[in-house]
PDB file of all heavy atoms in Angstrom:
ATOM      1  N   GLU C 156       0.600   7.859   2.396  1.00 89.00           N
ATOM      2  CA  GLU C 156      -0.261   8.989   2.083  1.00 89.00           C
ATOM      3  C   GLU C 156       0.545  10.161   1.456  1.00 89.00           C
ATOM      4  O   GLU C 156      -0.021  10.989   0.834  1.00 89.00           O
ATOM      5  CB  GLU C 156      -0.914   9.497   3.402  1.00 89.00           C
ATOM      6  CG  GLU C 156      -1.769   8.434   4.076  1.00 89.00           C
ATOM      7  CD  GLU C 156      -2.983   8.045   3.186  1.00 89.00           C
ATOM      8  OE1 GLU C 156      -3.441   8.862   2.372  1.00 89.00           O
ATOM      9  OE2 GLU C 156      -3.503   6.885   3.377  1.00 89.00           O
ATOM     10  N   LEU C 159       2.705  10.940  -3.596  1.00 95.00           N
ATOM     11  CA  LEU C 159       2.901  11.846  -4.730  1.00 95.00           C
ATOM     12  C   LEU C 159       3.820  12.966  -4.352  1.00 95.00           C
ATOM     13  O   LEU C 159       4.615  13.417  -5.223  1.00 95.00           O
ATOM     14  CB  LEU C 159       1.532  12.443  -5.122  1.00 95.00           C
ATOM     15  CG  LEU C 159       0.525  11.427  -5.829  1.00 95.00           C
ATOM     16  CD1 LEU C 159      -0.746  12.088  -6.137  1.00 95.00           C
ATOM     17  CD2 LEU C 159       1.229  11.013  -7.119  1.00 95.00           C
ATOM     18  N   TYR C 160       3.806  13.405  -3.107  1.00 92.00           N
ATOM     19  CA  TYR C 160       4.766  14.485  -2.674  1.00 92.00           C
ATOM     20  C   TYR C 160       6.223  13.916  -2.779  1.00 92.00           C
ATOM     21  O   TYR C 160       7.082  14.535  -3.277  1.00 92.00           O
ATOM     22  CB  TYR C 160       4.475  14.918  -1.226  1.00 92.00           C
ATOM     23  CG  TYR C 160       5.533  15.813  -0.693  1.00 92.00           C
ATOM     24  CD1 TYR C 160       5.476  17.135  -0.975  1.00 92.00           C
ATOM     25  CD2 TYR C 160       6.540  15.300   0.135  1.00 92.00           C
ATOM     26  CE1 TYR C 160       6.422  18.040  -0.416  1.00 92.00           C
ATOM     27  CE2 TYR C 160       7.553  16.151   0.608  1.00 92.00           C
ATOM     28  CZ  TYR C 160       7.421  17.481   0.380  1.00 92.00           C
ATOM     29  OH  TYR C 160       8.478  18.359   0.895  1.00 92.00           O
ATOM     30  N   ASP C 161       6.352  12.661  -2.162  1.00 90.00           N
ATOM     31  CA  ASP C 161       7.684  12.028  -2.280  1.00 90.00           C
ATOM     32  C   ASP C 161       8.149  11.804  -3.652  1.00 90.00           C
ATOM     33  O   ASP C 161       9.348  11.983  -3.937  1.00 90.00           O
ATOM     34  CB  ASP C 161       7.590  10.663  -1.514  1.00 90.00           C
ATOM     35  CG  ASP C 161       7.284  10.802   0.003  1.00 90.00           C
ATOM     36  OD1 ASP C 161       7.520  11.884   0.537  1.00 90.00           O
ATOM     37  OD2 ASP C 161       6.840   9.823   0.602  1.00 90.00           O
ATOM     38  N   SER C 165      11.567  13.461  -5.358  1.00 87.00           N
ATOM     39  CA  SER C 165      12.576  12.508  -5.896  1.00 87.00           C
ATOM     40  C   SER C 165      12.771  12.859  -7.409  1.00 87.00           C
ATOM     41  O   SER C 165      13.882  12.626  -7.949  1.00 87.00           O
ATOM     42  CB  SER C 165      12.311  11.061  -5.705  1.00 87.00           C
ATOM     43  OG  SER C 165      11.101  10.731  -6.424  1.00 87.00           O
ATOM     44  N   THR C 166      11.772  13.364  -8.032  1.00 89.00           N
ATOM     45  CA  THR C 166      11.818  13.658  -9.499  1.00 89.00           C
ATOM     46  C   THR C 166      12.587  15.004  -9.687  1.00 89.00           C
ATOM     47  O   THR C 166      13.388  15.185 -10.617  1.00 89.00           O
ATOM     48  CB  THR C 166      10.394  13.780 -10.106  1.00 89.00           C
ATOM     49  OG1 THR C 166       9.808  12.451  -9.927  1.00 89.00           O
ATOM     50  CG2 THR C 166      10.540  14.063 -11.559  1.00 89.00           C
ATOM     51  N   ALA C 174      21.243  18.942   0.244  1.00 52.00           N
ATOM     52  CA  ALA C 174      20.406  17.923   0.790  1.00 52.00           C
ATOM     53  C   ALA C 174      19.476  18.520   1.895  1.00 52.00           C
ATOM     54  O   ALA C 174      18.416  17.840   2.157  1.00 52.00           O
ATOM     55  CB  ALA C 174      21.347  16.877   1.486  1.00 52.00           C
ATOM     56  N   LEU C 178      11.047  21.426  -1.107  1.00 76.00           N
ATOM     57  CA  LEU C 178      10.337  22.049  -2.187  1.00 76.00           C
ATOM     58  C   LEU C 178      10.016  23.510  -1.921  1.00 76.00           C
ATOM     59  O   LEU C 178       9.981  24.301  -2.785  1.00 76.00           O
ATOM     60  CB  LEU C 178       9.192  21.241  -2.531  1.00 76.00           C
ATOM     61  CG  LEU C 178       9.283  20.026  -3.402  1.00 76.00           C
ATOM     62  CD1 LEU C 178       8.035  19.268  -3.621  1.00 76.00           C
ATOM     63  CD2 LEU C 178       9.950  20.416  -4.733  1.00 76.00           C
ATOM     64  N   GLY C 182      11.292  26.228  -4.186  1.00 82.00           N
ATOM     65  CA  GLY C 182      10.152  26.844  -4.944  1.00 82.00           C
ATOM     66  C   GLY C 182       9.727  25.918  -6.020  1.00 82.00           C
ATOM     67  O   GLY C 182      10.519  25.432  -6.794  1.00 82.00           O
ATOM     68  N   TRP C 187      -1.748  23.526 -15.056  1.00 97.00           N
ATOM     69  CA  TRP C 187      -2.345  22.638 -15.941  1.00 97.00           C
ATOM     70  C   TRP C 187      -3.467  23.378 -16.690  1.00 97.00           C
ATOM     71  O   TRP C 187      -4.270  24.062 -16.065  1.00 97.00           O
ATOM     72  CB  TRP C 187      -2.966  21.376 -15.268  1.00 97.00           C
ATOM     73  CG  TRP C 187      -2.021  20.355 -14.838  1.00 97.00           C
ATOM     74  CD1 TRP C 187      -1.711  19.213 -15.327  1.00 97.00           C
ATOM     75  CD2 TRP C 187      -1.240  20.459 -13.530  1.00 97.00           C
ATOM     76  NE1 TRP C 187      -0.749  18.591 -14.587  1.00 97.00           N
ATOM     77  CE2 TRP C 187      -0.497  19.261 -13.428  1.00 97.00           C
ATOM     78  CE3 TRP C 187      -1.112  21.412 -12.474  1.00 97.00           C
ATOM     79  CZ2 TRP C 187       0.363  19.069 -12.397  1.00 97.00           C
ATOM     80  CZ3 TRP C 187      -0.252  21.183 -11.447  1.00 97.00           C
ATOM     81  CH2 TRP C 187       0.536  19.995 -11.448  1.00 97.00           C
ATOM     82  N   TYR C 211      12.396  15.052 -19.687  1.00 96.00           N
ATOM     83  CA  TYR C 211      11.693  14.532 -18.503  1.00 96.00           C
ATOM     84  C   TYR C 211      11.579  15.600 -17.530  1.00 96.00           C
ATOM     85  O   TYR C 211      12.408  16.564 -17.495  1.00 96.00           O
ATOM     86  CB  TYR C 211      12.460  13.368 -17.844  1.00 96.00           C
ATOM     87  CG  TYR C 211      12.457  12.042 -18.665  1.00 96.00           C
ATOM     88  CD1 TYR C 211      13.420  11.626 -19.468  1.00 96.00           C
ATOM     89  CD2 TYR C 211      11.350  11.179 -18.537  1.00 96.00           C
ATOM     90  CE1 TYR C 211      13.426  10.489 -20.215  1.00 96.00           C
ATOM     91  CE2 TYR C 211      11.220   9.933 -19.253  1.00 96.00           C
ATOM     92  CZ  TYR C 211      12.297   9.626 -20.069  1.00 96.00           C
ATOM     93  OH  TYR C 211      12.215   8.439 -20.783  1.00 96.00           O
ATOM     94  N   ILE C 215      14.150  19.281 -16.074  1.00 93.00           N
ATOM     95  CA  ILE C 215      13.803  20.679 -16.407  1.00 93.00           C
ATOM     96  C   ILE C 215      14.434  21.684 -15.523  1.00 93.00           C
ATOM     97  O   ILE C 215      14.746  22.780 -15.988  1.00 93.00           O
ATOM     98  CB  ILE C 215      12.291  20.857 -16.372  1.00 93.00           C
ATOM     99  CG1 ILE C 215      11.878  22.185 -17.137  1.00 93.00           C
ATOM    100  CG2 ILE C 215      11.628  20.862 -14.919  1.00 93.00           C
ATOM    101  CD1 ILE C 215      12.389  22.227 -18.596  1.00 93.00           C
ATOM    102  N   GLU C 229       1.659  17.255 -22.394  1.00 96.00           N
ATOM    103  CA  GLU C 229       0.277  17.168 -22.873  1.00 96.00           C
ATOM    104  C   GLU C 229      -0.344  15.750 -22.697  1.00 96.00           C
ATOM    105  O   GLU C 229       0.227  14.759 -23.208  1.00 96.00           O
ATOM    106  CB  GLU C 229       0.267  17.560 -24.386  1.00 96.00           C
ATOM    107  CG  GLU C 229      -1.113  17.696 -24.997  1.00 96.00           C
ATOM    108  CD  GLU C 229      -1.061  18.341 -26.354  1.00 96.00           C
ATOM    109  OE1 GLU C 229       0.022  18.307 -26.979  1.00 96.00           O
ATOM    110  OE2 GLU C 229      -2.137  18.756 -26.821  1.00 96.00           O
ATOM    111  N   PHE C 250      -6.233  33.780 -18.699  1.00 87.00           N
ATOM    112  CA  PHE C 250      -5.847  32.679 -19.445  1.00 87.00           C
ATOM    113  C   PHE C 250      -7.032  31.678 -19.684  1.00 87.00           C
ATOM    114  O   PHE C 250      -6.942  30.787 -20.598  1.00 87.00           O
ATOM    115  CB  PHE C 250      -4.721  31.931 -18.781  1.00 87.00           C
ATOM    116  CG  PHE C 250      -3.872  31.093 -19.650  1.00 87.00           C
ATOM    117  CD1 PHE C 250      -2.867  31.583 -20.431  1.00 87.00           C
ATOM    118  CD2 PHE C 250      -4.061  29.662 -19.719  1.00 87.00           C
ATOM    119  CE1 PHE C 250      -2.098  30.817 -21.270  1.00 87.00           C
ATOM    120  CE2 PHE C 250      -3.286  28.897 -20.546  1.00 87.00           C
ATOM    121  CZ  PHE C 250      -2.281  29.511 -21.326  1.00 87.00           C
ATOM    122  N   GLY C 254     -13.894  29.477 -22.353  1.00 90.00           N
ATOM    123  CA  GLY C 254     -14.140  28.111 -22.027  1.00 90.00           C
ATOM    124  C   GLY C 254     -12.935  27.310 -21.520  1.00 90.00           C
ATOM    125  O   GLY C 254     -13.027  26.067 -21.301  1.00 90.00           O
ATOM    126  N   TRP C 269      -0.287  27.039  -2.603  1.00 92.00           N
ATOM    127  CA  TRP C 269      -1.585  27.337  -3.059  1.00 92.00           C
ATOM    128  C   TRP C 269      -2.055  26.323  -4.140  1.00 92.00           C
ATOM    129  O   TRP C 269      -1.296  25.910  -5.003  1.00 92.00           O
ATOM    130  CB  TRP C 269      -1.645  28.732  -3.701  1.00 92.00           C
ATOM    131  CG  TRP C 269      -1.661  29.839  -2.707  1.00 92.00           C
ATOM    132  CD1 TRP C 269      -0.609  30.548  -2.307  1.00 92.00           C
ATOM    133  CD2 TRP C 269      -2.805  30.317  -1.945  1.00 92.00           C
ATOM    134  NE1 TRP C 269      -0.992  31.446  -1.308  1.00 92.00           N
ATOM    135  CE2 TRP C 269      -2.333  31.301  -1.072  1.00 92.00           C
ATOM    136  CE3 TRP C 269      -4.104  29.899  -1.967  1.00 92.00           C
ATOM    137  CZ2 TRP C 269      -3.182  31.933  -0.170  1.00 92.00           C
ATOM    138  CZ3 TRP C 269      -4.966  30.594  -1.060  1.00 92.00           C
ATOM    139  CH2 TRP C 269      -4.528  31.602  -0.227  1.00 92.00           C
ATOM    140  N   MET C 278     -11.966  32.896 -11.116  1.00 95.00           N
ATOM    141  CA  MET C 278     -11.305  32.060 -10.141  1.00 95.00           C
ATOM    142  C   MET C 278     -12.370  31.352  -9.391  1.00 95.00           C
ATOM    143  O   MET C 278     -13.104  31.919  -8.544  1.00 95.00           O
ATOM    144  CB  MET C 278     -10.452  32.966  -9.142  1.00 95.00           C
ATOM    145  CG  MET C 278      -9.706  32.129  -8.150  1.00 95.00           C
ATOM    146  SD  MET C 278      -8.455  31.011  -8.887  1.00 95.00           S
ATOM    147  CE  MET C 278      -7.308  32.176  -9.504  1.00 95.00           C
ATOM    148  N   PHE C 291     -11.309  30.479  -1.059  1.00 89.00           N
ATOM    149  CA  PHE C 291     -12.014  31.655  -1.595  1.00 89.00           C
ATOM    150  C   PHE C 291     -12.255  31.473  -3.101  1.00 89.00           C
ATOM    151  O   PHE C 291     -11.704  30.483  -3.645  1.00 89.00           O
ATOM    152  CB  PHE C 291     -11.292  32.955  -1.302  1.00 89.00           C
ATOM    153  CG  PHE C 291      -9.993  33.080  -2.027  1.00 89.00           C
ATOM    154  CD1 PHE C 291      -9.888  33.629  -3.333  1.00 89.00           C
ATOM    155  CD2 PHE C 291      -8.746  32.654  -1.485  1.00 89.00           C
ATOM    156  CE1 PHE C 291      -8.722  33.815  -4.042  1.00 89.00           C
ATOM    157  CE2 PHE C 291      -7.536  32.813  -2.131  1.00 89.00           C
ATOM    158  CZ  PHE C 291      -7.533  33.312  -3.429  1.00 89.00           C
ATOM    159  N   SER C 310      -2.774  20.122  11.385  1.00 55.00           N
ATOM    160  CA  SER C 310      -2.985  20.411  12.841  1.00 55.00           C
ATOM    161  C   SER C 310      -2.094  19.556  13.633  1.00 55.00           C
ATOM    162  O   SER C 310      -1.624  18.489  13.179  1.00 55.00           O
ATOM    163  CB  SER C 310      -4.431  20.071  13.149  1.00 55.00           C
ATOM    164  OG  SER C 310      -4.775  18.653  12.777  1.00 55.00           O
ATOM    165  N   THR C 336      -8.135  16.294 -13.809  1.00 97.00           N
ATOM    166  CA  THR C 336      -7.563  16.063 -15.164  1.00 97.00           C
ATOM    167  C   THR C 336      -7.906  14.679 -15.701  1.00 97.00           C
ATOM    168  O   THR C 336      -7.571  14.363 -16.824  1.00 97.00           O
ATOM    169  CB  THR C 336      -6.084  16.393 -15.227  1.00 97.00           C
ATOM    170  OG1 THR C 336      -5.430  15.489 -14.329  1.00 97.00           O
ATOM    171  CG2 THR C 336      -5.845  17.802 -14.833  1.00 97.00           C
ATOM    172  N   ILE C 355      11.491  32.639 -26.469  1.00 94.00           N
ATOM    173  CA  ILE C 355      11.785  33.210 -27.732  1.00 94.00           C
ATOM    174  C   ILE C 355      13.020  34.124 -27.620  1.00 94.00           C
ATOM    175  O   ILE C 355      13.128  34.892 -26.631  1.00 94.00           O
ATOM    176  CB  ILE C 355      10.612  34.087 -28.194  1.00 94.00           C
ATOM    177  CG1 ILE C 355       9.323  33.285 -28.451  1.00 94.00           C
ATOM    178  CG2 ILE C 355      10.860  34.917 -29.504  1.00 94.00           C
ATOM    179  CD1 ILE C 355       8.078  33.937 -28.773  1.00 94.00           C
TER     180      ILE C 355
END
Side-chain angles (χ1 to χ4, degrees):
E156 299 298 331
L159 289 175
Y160 173 85
D161 296 338
S165 66
T166 301
L178 277 179
W187 287 260
Y211 287 100
I215 197 56
E229 189 171 14
F250 201 80
W269 284 100
M278 182 62 68
F291 65 89
S310 55
T336 61
I355 296 173

